[in-house]
Amino acid sequence: MGKTIAEKIFDSHQVDAPYPGTTVLRLDAVFCHEITTPTAITDLMARGKDRVFDPAKVKAVIDHVSPAKDSKTAEQGKVLRDWAHRHDIKDFFDIGRNGVCHAIFPEQGFVRPGYTIIMGDSHTCTHGAFGAFAAGVGTTDLEVGILKGVCAFKPPKTMKFELVGKLPEGVYAKDIILFLIGKIGVNGATNMIMEFTGPVIDAMGMDSRMTVCNMAIEAGATCGICNPDATTVDYLWPFIKMDFASKKDALAAYAAIASDSDAQYEKVCKFDLSSLEPMATFDYRPDNVKPVRELAGATVDQVYIGSCTNGRIEDLRIAAAVLKGAKIHARVRGILSPATPQIYRQALDEGLIAIFMDAGFCVTNPTCGACLGMSNGVLAPKEVCASTTNRNFYGRMGKGGMVHLMSPATAAATALAGCITNSVLYKGGK
Amino acid sequence: MKTFGGKVLFLDRADINTDEIIPAKYLTEITKEAMKPHLLEDLKLEGFDRRRDIAGKRVVVTRENFGCGSSREHAPWAFEVNDITAVIAPSFARIFRQNMYNCGMLALELPAATIEHLFKAYAGKETTMSIDVTGGAIRVETAGVSETIQFSLQGFDAALVQAGGWLEYADSNY
Ligand code: SF4
């Protein structure tokens, strides 16, 4: 019988199976940021266990609140910074070099097909786009990961999503994942892995695949995952060219990790996306999803483009194509946060930043900031934000505020119109 | 091992998320104690009054998919510093559930019908539960009424509760 990619990764990383239904895995990487790691560090210190299993496998970034906004966030940054230096963690990204964790770590080549990765952050599922098993964990799991390089999981049950057809104009990765979450619900994939396959995924670049995997957690999934292919190899080539004689060799090695055609799935869902419309959320749950058409006209106070979901170069290009030559609505505050310095630089070089600024956007440094209501664009009570982020929980972007999740194209069009709008109406500047 | 049981807080809504349990803005706090006044601060639930309803409670009974959303262990900590060490629901979000056991606390799954019965028979009344972890029994009591509900805590979950948490367990095993 064949195996899924997740089963193969579990098989190759198992160090213990202490009880039925519990597998302890060896970790290839532990990612850290300044919100959830300092508590782990201080606890390890208090226990007299301030050690790191392998400094080369631990990567850290200050991204959630950067620059620090007050003494408390400065202290969090300091705890992480001091720890990284103390343990000689070379891959530590401080201000000037820092970006949103789930954008910068893949960009630096830290994610590889077949890897096991944990981080004290629920959107760690993003890295499954590369064919890795990557899961968000709490502080205690993180502590054990840092100290021992292991983490315990339930056996990997996988739901397969076969996505076929051709996406219509104005419909993007974000619309797909919102649509799927709307279909299966916030609890639809709890304790499961969502494997995304089919021609629609095959045709996607890595940026889009990361967008899709990023929101797997919003359906309760442990991880989103895409099988590695030539697109994965192309993206990773600068980092793996020392390991393989050719791209073909790399592809062959990674193909061995991919799911077998006769693998067993918990469930298989097939969707033809040829007539999918742009989607957005309403209310306070990520599975409250409707076509943009049905929400059109709802006014917004702020438009936020950024985050680990949609702050990558492809997203900026898509939004800029909508904004080019136009001005955002006088009532709307537009905020763009490119997810990493490299993305920022590239957007500058391509003239995208100028388009955003001409349209009236404020361009911030790379940071999570407003996505979790911490800095750089927090909402006032009763304010509404059209956002490319991943969570619309009550108060997520500021106490009493409400968030509509949508694609960068829809967000850009919404910024121009001042109310939720389909981007197709604006294509080519209007 | 922690102690479990005492007065019960009923939260009659599914999908209560971690942002509702402890809003992100408090994640800049470094101590667990700092979470104490903010437990369930953003909970959207009619009739719930945080100031009135949390004090003195030691067990939460709630609905499906409790703790969905972020990975923050601040959510279990916010319960822990309020002396609530057990949450009982038909199902939990994976990370929240694991975080509870990793802290040596209980996230007990009972059948939806049993939870429904608990709500019908006990919600809105002064109810207490004594929880016997090794015996797998919950004694539920309110004025004049009582019953015992069985549960089974096995394998890894039981080992973590016994050890007092995952760090303790991992430290002695790996
Ligand atoms: S951008 Fe938002 S969702 Fe992504 S890691 Fe940062 S806070 Fe979390």
Side-chain angles (χ1 to χ4, degrees):
Chain A
M1 197 178 72
K3 289 191 165 163
T4 64
I5 178 167
E7 286 168 339
K8 292 184 188 182
I9 296 172
F10 269 54
D11 285 352
S12 59
H13 288 76
Q14 179 174 327
V15 291
D16 192 15
Y19 298 95
T22 303
T23 309
V24 178
L25 299 181
R26 170 176 57 79
L27 298 170
D28 294 308
V30 177
F31 294 161
C32 301
H33 65 54
E34 92 282 15
I35 296 291
T36 51
T37 315
T39 40
I41 296 167
T42 46
D43 189 57
L44 286 170
M45 288 171 76
R47 292 170 187 264
K49 298 182 192 304
D50 181 24
R51 298 187 296 272
V52 168
F53 84 106
D54 183 348
K57 290 184 175 155
V58 177
K59 319 286 179 185
V61 65
I62 294 177
D63 61 350
H64 275 57
V65 187
S66 176
K69 62 169 177 160
D70 54 19
S71 306
K72 279 183 175 156
T73 51
E75 174 73 20
Q76 285 185 305
K78 181 172 162 50
V79 172
L80 189 72
R81 187 180 295 119
D82 290 350
W83 171 78
H85 293 151
R86 186 161 76 238
H87 294 288
D88 207 16
I89 293 167
K90 297 257 171 7
D91 295 312
F92 168 61
F93 299 87
D94 209 335
I95 193 148
R97 301 202 303 133
N98 64 352
V100 175
C101 49
H102 309 306
I104 200 163
F105 291 143
E107 183 185 272
Q108 296 291 325
F110 298 154
V111 184
R112 305 288 168 78
Y115 265 23
T116 51
I117 301 169
I118 61 164
M119 178 172 196
D121 192 285
S122 62
H123 294 101
T124 306
C125 53
T126 312
H127 308 288
F130 291 83
F133 174 74
V137 298
T139 305
T140 304
D141 274 337
L142 182 67
E143 281 181 52
V144 172
I146 289 169
L147 192 61
K148 305 276 177 179
V150 299
C151 193
F153 289 97
K154 288 187 165 42
K157 293 183 186 166
T158 304
M159 280 172 90
K160 180 176 172 173
F161 292 83
E162 213 180 320
L163 308 176
V164 304
K166 193 176 174 301
L167 290 184
E169 199 196 340
V171 177
Y172 300 95
K174 182 64 157 288
D175 303 301
I176 298 173
I177 190 63
L178 287 176
F179 167 75
L180 294 177
I181 295 164
K183 281 275 172 219
I184 69 171
V186 291
N187 200 9
T190 301
N191 285 320
M192 296 215 244
I193 291 156
M194 294 171 84
E195 182 176 321
F196 303 104
T197 66
V200 172
I201 298 293
D202 296 344
M204 275 182 187
M206 293 312 300
D207 284 6
S208 285
R209 291 182 194 181
M210 283 189 259
T211 301
V212 171
C213 290
N214 175 269
M215 290 191 70
I217 181 70
E218 307 311 332
T222 306
C223 183
I225 208 161
C226 299
N227 286 292
D229 63 3
T231 306
T232 322
V233 171
D234 283 340
Y235 183 103
L236 290 175
W237 189 242
F239 310 106
I240 60 174
K241 62 183 178 206
M242 311 298 285
D243 305 336
F244 298 100
S246 67
K247 286 187 178 179
K248 221 175 122 215
D249 285 2
L251 192 55
Y254 292 154
I257 303 168
S259 291
D260 297 324
S261 54
D262 57 344
Q264 295 285 307
Y265 291 92
E266 217 49 40
K267 206 172 167 188
V268 178
C269 311
K270 189 171 175 176
F271 294 99
D272 187 332
L273 302 177
S274 301
S275 54
L276 185 68
E277 293 181 55
M279 308 297 276
T281 62
F282 61 98
D283 213 349
Y284 303 108
R285 294 164 54 119
D287 58 355
N288 281 341
V289 175
K290 278 185 188 170
V292 163
R293 178 172 43 83
E294 289 177 32
L295 292 164
T299 58
V300 304
D301 303 290
Q302 177 169 301
V303 171
Y304 185 80
I305 298 179
S307 86
C308 58
T309 321
N310 282 122
R312 298 189 180 78
I313 192 68
E314 180 184 280
D315 304 311
L316 272 53
R317 286 180 189 139
I318 290 166
V322 175
L323 294 172
K324 192 165 187 180
K327 292 253 180 275
I328 63 175
H329 194 281
R331 198 177 14 78
V332 170
R333 312 187 296 270
I335 300 173
L336 166 69
S337 179
T340 69
Q342 195 173 307
I343 293 165
Y344 199 147
R345 173 66 62 102
Q346 197 171 343
L348 272 173
D349 291 348
E350 293 181 16
L352 308 178
I353 299 295
I355 294 172
F356 278 99
M357 293 184 75
D358 289 345
F361 265 77
C362 159
V363 182
T364 81
N365 62 304
T367 178
C368 295
C371 171
L372 79 167
M374 277 210 173
S375 59
N376 282 13
V378 179
L379 300 177
K382 298 217 162 62
E383 283 194 325
V384 178
C385 184
S387 178
T388 68
T389 53
N390 48 34
R391 238 166 227 167
N392 58 344
F393 295 160
Y394 181 64
R396 170 75 179 182
M397 292 182 79
K399 202 173 179 73
M402 107 99 75
V403 182
H404 292 287
L405 304 175
M406 58 184 68
S407 76
T410 309
T414 298
L416 298 181
C419 57
I420 296 181
T421 305
N422 188 329
S423 69
V424 173
L425 300 175
Y426 284 91
K427 204 69 185 205
K430 190 180 151 188
Chain B
M1 193 170 79
K2 290 198 161 39
T3 62
F4 305 102
K7 283 192 193 155
V8 182
L9 169 64
F10 287 90
L11 300 175
D12 193 2
R13 214 201 78 201
D15 304 311
I16 291 175
N17 66 59
T18 49
D19 277 77
E20 293 176 282
I21 297 169
I22 184 81
K25 64 173 182 234
Y26 301 117
L27 306 191
T28 59
E29 300 290 346
I30 305 223
T31 66
K32 294 183 184 182
E33 265 318 297
M35 309 291 142
K36 193 166 179 179
H38 306 297
L39 176 65
L40 298 168
E41 186 167 300
D42 277 350
L43 179 64
K44 276 188 102 71
L45 179 63
E46 204 142 319
F48 173 73
D49 179 347
R50 186 163 51 94
R51 284 178 193 85
R52 179 193 66 201
D53 297 338
I54 293 177
K57 302 297 189 325
R58 297 221 53 216
V59 181
V60 166
V61 174
T62 183
R63 303 284 188 179
E64 293 88 48
N65 197 32
F66 186 80
C68 59
S70 96
S71 63
R72 64 190 69 157
E73 202 157 305
H74 307 69
W77 296 339
F79 283 116
E80 188 182 7
V81 293
N82 279 283
D83 268 339
I84 295 171
T85 51
V87 182
I88 304 175
S91 65
F92 293 91
R94 176 191 65 91
I95 305 176
F96 177 83
R97 183 187 188 283
Q98 195 60 51
N99 285 344
M100 287 290 283
Y101 285 104
N102 282 348
C103 292
M105 297 199 276
L106 287 176
L108 285 181
E109 282 119 348
L110 293 181
T114 310
I115 297 287
E116 180 61 30
H117 163 72
L118 288 173
F119 271 99
K120 280 227 170 83
Y122 300 98
K125 300 174 190 160
E126 176 121 338
T127 303
T128 57
M129 283 183 172
S130 9
I131 303 178
D132 171 7
V133 174
T134 37
I138 303 170
R139 177 127 190 104
V140 199
E141 274 188 282
T142 189
V145 190
S146 72
E147 66 186 299
T148 300
I149 292 170
Q150 308 292 332
F151 67 93
S152 104
L153 185 72
Q154 288 175 331
F156 194 48
D157 296 339
L160 293 181
V161 171
Q162 290 293 343
W166 170 227
L167 198 87
E168 290 76 1
Y169 180 98
D171 216 26
S172 48
N173 285 279
Y174 304 108

